Amino acid sequence: MYTNIAEMEKELALCRQCALCREGNRGPTSYNGIADSPLIIVGEGPGGVEDEYGVPLVGPSGQLLDKALWSVGITRDSIYTTNIVKCRPKGNRTPTVEEGRFCAGHWLDEEIALVRPKVIIALGSVALKYLYGDNGRITKDRGRWFDTKYGLPAIATYHPAYLLRLTGQDLVKAKWEVYYDLKAAAEKCNELMPDYVLKAEAPANLLEIYSPRKKQRLVNPN
Ligand code: URA
């Protein structure tokens, strides 16, 4: 429907199609990274920091994600990151399957059509359920490749917010699982697009990159 990402982003900023934008947030958040990446990461929905900055996964979960990606040779400025729902659910509640389906059916599907990635990473259960189906279970299905309605391969892994809640041996185990899932995604990307460089020389400081957008969102509240 859109001819480029900038056009889509403009429309997305104006989206008031469901009740999520009336849950006390600053309105829809967009994507971050670059629009012609072979790798797309799909998270759940914005938290407080993302609502402030207007872009996905820049808060505590995003910082942990950056570290995990770095360890497998990926930096966020070389890939495309987005969420299933674009508006922050009140109190960071988990968006419902219906909310996910409605928002992603409008926006994520457009994003994937425009970016045309080669590989999708689903972060956590909400993304898995949209991309795989309602019967997807993160504990059972993570780490296994599945086909999506876009005809693209996807792999799910634990959401970093889940890792942030774990301790001890559970945390060690889950971190290794995430490492191997992300490594599999990087390898698949390298296989499908061998010339594409997934890692910049230094990790990107996303909070700095998107600070102008934060200021803009403060002056133009939802
Ligand atoms: N969790 C997500 O899935 N996405 C965000 O943008 C922030 C936290």
Side-chain angles (χ1 to χ4, degrees):
M1 186 181 155
Y2 300 101
T3 52
N4 59 57
I5 284 279
E7 203 181 279
M8 184 225 63
E9 228 185 355
K10 234 162 130 183
E11 281 298 309
L12 169 59
L14 301 173
C15 180
R16 300 292 182 270
Q17 294 182 74
C18 81
L20 266 184
C21 62
R22 293 183 285 280
E23 294 206 2
N25 51 52
R26 296 192 172 121
T29 57
S30 186
Y31 73 96
N32 72 44
I34 54 165
D36 56 356
S37 166
L39 179 61
I40 176 165
I41 295 189
V42 182
E44 177 181 306
V49 183
E50 290 78 16
D51 186 43
E52 271 179 36
Y53 280 80
V55 289
L57 286 151
V58 290
S61 289
Q63 306 284 331
L64 181 56
L65 176 66
D66 283 356
K67 286 189 195 146
L69 289 172
W70 179 261
S71 71
V72 300
I74 300 174
T75 47
R76 291 279 291 289
D77 49 353
S78 312
I79 61 167
Y80 185 101
T81 311
T82 190
N83 275 320
I84 290 287
V85 301
K86 309 302 190 200
C87 294
R88 182 192 184 197
K90 199 177 183 100
N92 291 341
R93 67 175 175 81
T94 305
T96 64
V97 168
E98 291 71 30
E99 286 168 335
R101 210 178 282 142
F102 184 83
C103 189
H106 276 77
W107 297 110
L108 178 67
D109 289 2
E110 290 285 348
E111 291 175 277
I112 290 184
L114 288 164
V115 175
R116 296 192 292 139
K118 301 274 190 240
V119 172
I120 304 174
I121 297 175
L123 276 190
S125 176
V126 172
L128 174 69
K129 281 181 192 290
Y130 183 73
L131 294 166
Y132 178 82
D134 290 356
N135 56 348
R137 294 286 172 272
I138 195 72
T139 41
K140 169 171 74 72
D141 297 316
R142 61 137 284 280
R144 292 200 290 122
W145 288 100
F146 59 93
D147 196 19
T148 56
K149 64 174 174 175
Y150 315 109
L152 298 169
I155 191 167
T157 196
Y158 293 128
H159 195 287
Y162 170 69
L163 296 187
L164 288 170
R165 292 194 297 270
L166 294 178
T167 54
Q169 276 311 305
D170 292 344
L171 175 61
V172 174
K173 181 169 176 284
K175 271 191 171 172
W176 277 110
E177 287 169 331
V178 169
Y179 171 79
Y180 284 114
D181 298 342
L182 297 179
K183 190 161 173 282
E187 283 167 2
K188 174 87 82 184
C189 259
N190 290 330
E191 188 189 306
L192 296 173
M193 236 180 151
D195 294 334
Y196 191 85
V197 180
L198 287 168
K199 191 180 190 183
E201 275 179 18
N205 184 342
L206 296 175
L207 293 181
E208 195 176 295
I209 295 173
Y210 291 103
S211 74
R213 193 174 301 207
K214 179 185 177 190
K215 287 191 192 117
Q216 211 180 333
R217 278 169 81 81
L218 281 174
V219 248
N220 296 315
N222 184 18

